[in-house]
Amino acid sequence: MSSLSDSQSSDFDSTKYIDIGANLLDSKFQGIYNGSQKHPPDLDVVLSRSLANYPRPDGTLDPQAPCQRIIITAGSLSESLSSLSLCSSINSKTNFPSTSTTCGFHPTRSNEFTPAMEQFILDHHRSISAFGELGLDYDRLEFADKDIQLSSLNSQLSIISSLSSSHSIKKPLFLHSRSCSSDLYDILLSYKISNGLDTLNGVVHSYDDSIELALKYISLGLYIGLNGCSFRTDSNVEVVRGLPLERLMLETDAPWCDIRKSHEGWEFVGEVWEEVKEKKWKEGCRVKNRNEPGAITRVAEVLAGIKGISVEEVRKVCGENSMNLFFR
Ligand SMILES: [Zn+2]
């Protein structure tokens, strides 16, 4: 398995994108929607139009494929294990550390938390680019109530602290913050103070909350990750307009959080692609409402439009931010 410490891993091609969060293990990339098979698995095709150097079925490359790197988000230990093997298979085809994974327990998977996380990270840390997803999600308490989410979060932070102090294993935090007012911020602030840290390394991804909370996260040293969920409403767009580009990163959160015509940010989307519903899937065609890393270009277009700057500037600054946090 190629490791993130390969010498080539610090190279960044500023004509390409880094998608800092994609759920490539999702069953939709195997053609399964709500438990029912709608079309053949097509992750290979999705990757070939998303990831530079990933060959199409006929062996050629898609010159339009926009991403140089994708971080695959995992929400449990079993997902992290599957993600490691998916990364290994993808990277052997691109001959580059194109993909890496997070490792941690998503707030909705807090019930699955196990201290075995520590040994798992000791065994695999060279192929893990971030701790996460971890955080709080008060929109989906049906999967894990507040107490269980808080307990899983605090347990993970103490493992992360121990990995740093006892084993010098330090990774950025890949944070999920949904409808949790300042609870996550308060916990991170006390973590920062109790560990004597000047700053926290990490990103709060899929951001859709207030400007005040975003600036509090930034004051801890964190970055803000943007995807389609960040551009839905007028007030989302106003928040994004107020955030400094130097603290932003681009992500798709595929297959979720696509940018839709009904969203406020849609007016800035450039090229409109042919898309079909999953039932009418055909080889090589994008699926309507199923996001994929190749659509990272749209996130950049909308951010550039909101800020009144060029797509090139967005790609370069956000790409450098992502390289510095995860890969250098
Ligand atoms: Zn998330």
Side-chain angles (χ1 to χ4, degrees), residues 18-304:
I18 299 172
D19 183 353
I20 64 152
N23 306 274
L24 296 185
L25 297 170
D26 193 277
S27 69
K28 289 189 173 75
F29 298 116
Q30 299 305 315
I32 299 167
Y33 299 70
N34 295 320
S36 135
Q37 189 86 44
K38 300 292 187 194
H39 61 74
D42 64 348
L43 180 61
D44 260 345
V45 183
V46 168
L47 284 169
S48 66
R49 62 178 173 244
S50 297
L51 191 53
N53 301 337
Y54 193 92
R56 290 185 276 216
D58 67 2
T60 61
L61 296 179
D62 181 347
Q64 307 285 332
C67 296
Q68 186 184 34
R69 290 167 188 274
I70 299 170
I71 298 177
I72 301 176
T73 45
S76 67
L77 272 203
S78 60
E79 274 190 10
S80 301
L81 192 59
S82 305
S83 187
L84 284 172
S85 92
L86 179 58
C87 291
S88 173
S89 136
I90 294 171
N91 296 354
S92 70
K93 289 182 189 165
T94 57
N95 201 23
F96 185 78
S98 307
T99 53
S100 56
T101 187
T102 68
C103 178
F105 293 86
H106 192 279
T108 59
R109 312 281 295 269
S110 297
N111 286 303
E112 295 173 53
F113 171 77
T114 156
M117 174 185 166
E118 183 159 9
Q119 188 58 49
F120 186 93
I121 290 168
L122 286 171
D123 294 343
H124 299 289
H125 66 94
R126 286 193 173 78
S127 305
I128 292 169
S129 53
F131 297 129
E133 294 191 28
L134 77 168
L136 296 172
D137 188 329
Y138 293 172
D139 266 351
R140 290 185 280 175
L141 294 171
E142 67 273 26
F143 296 106
D145 66 27
K146 273 188 198 181
D147 286 348
I148 293 172
Q149 290 194 26
L150 289 164
S151 158
S152 165
L153 172 61
N154 285 313
S155 303
Q156 291 182 77
L157 288 173
S158 64
I159 288 174
I160 290 165
S161 170
S162 143
L163 286 165
S164 169
S165 59
S166 308
H167 304 280
S168 295
I169 295 174
K170 299 178 203 294
K171 306 277 176 189
L173 306 173
F174 193 97
L175 296 157
H176 177 106
S177 166
R178 187 70 81 230
S179 305
C180 57
S181 60
S182 69
D183 286 10
L184 179 59
Y185 168 80
D186 294 340
I187 289 169
L188 294 170
L189 176 62
S190 72
Y191 172 82
K192 175 173 170 278
I193 293 168
S194 62
N195 285 275
L197 301 170
D198 294 332
T199 185
L200 290 185
N201 285 324
V203 59
V204 182
H205 98 111
S206 197
Y207 194 75
D208 72 346
D209 214 308
S210 69
I211 186 83
E212 291 78 15
L213 185 60
L215 295 175
K216 285 168 88 169
Y217 284 133
I218 289 172
S219 75
L220 294 176
L222 299 168
Y223 289 86
I224 302 293
L226 302 179
N227 61 38
C229 292
S230 315
F231 309 134
R232 278 184 182 151
T233 65
D234 199 29
S235 57
N236 290 151
V237 165
E238 279 314 305
V239 169
V240 169
R241 188 170 284 126
L243 293 173
L245 189 63
E246 292 66 35
R247 303 310 296 177
L248 299 181
M249 294 182 180
L250 307 174
E251 57 173 301
T252 59
D253 209 21
W256 315 107
C257 298
D258 56 313
I259 304 172
R260 301 190 179 179
K261 284 189 178 143
S262 57
H263 294 173
E264 193 65 25
W266 177 266
E267 64 169 302
F268 299 113
V269 166
E271 185 189 357
V272 177
W273 302 308
E274 187 194 0
E275 293 175 321
V276 292
K277 290 202 171 135
E278 64 267 20
K279 280 182 286 191
K280 302 213 165 147
W281 181 91
K282 54 183 181 179
E283 189 82 46
C285 201
R286 295 174 200 248
V287 176
K288 192 172 168 56
N289 299 343
R290 182 187 70 172
N291 204 0
E292 57 182 59
I296 193 87
T297 52
R298 285 190 167 171
V299 181
E301 285 166 0
V302 174
L303 177 55

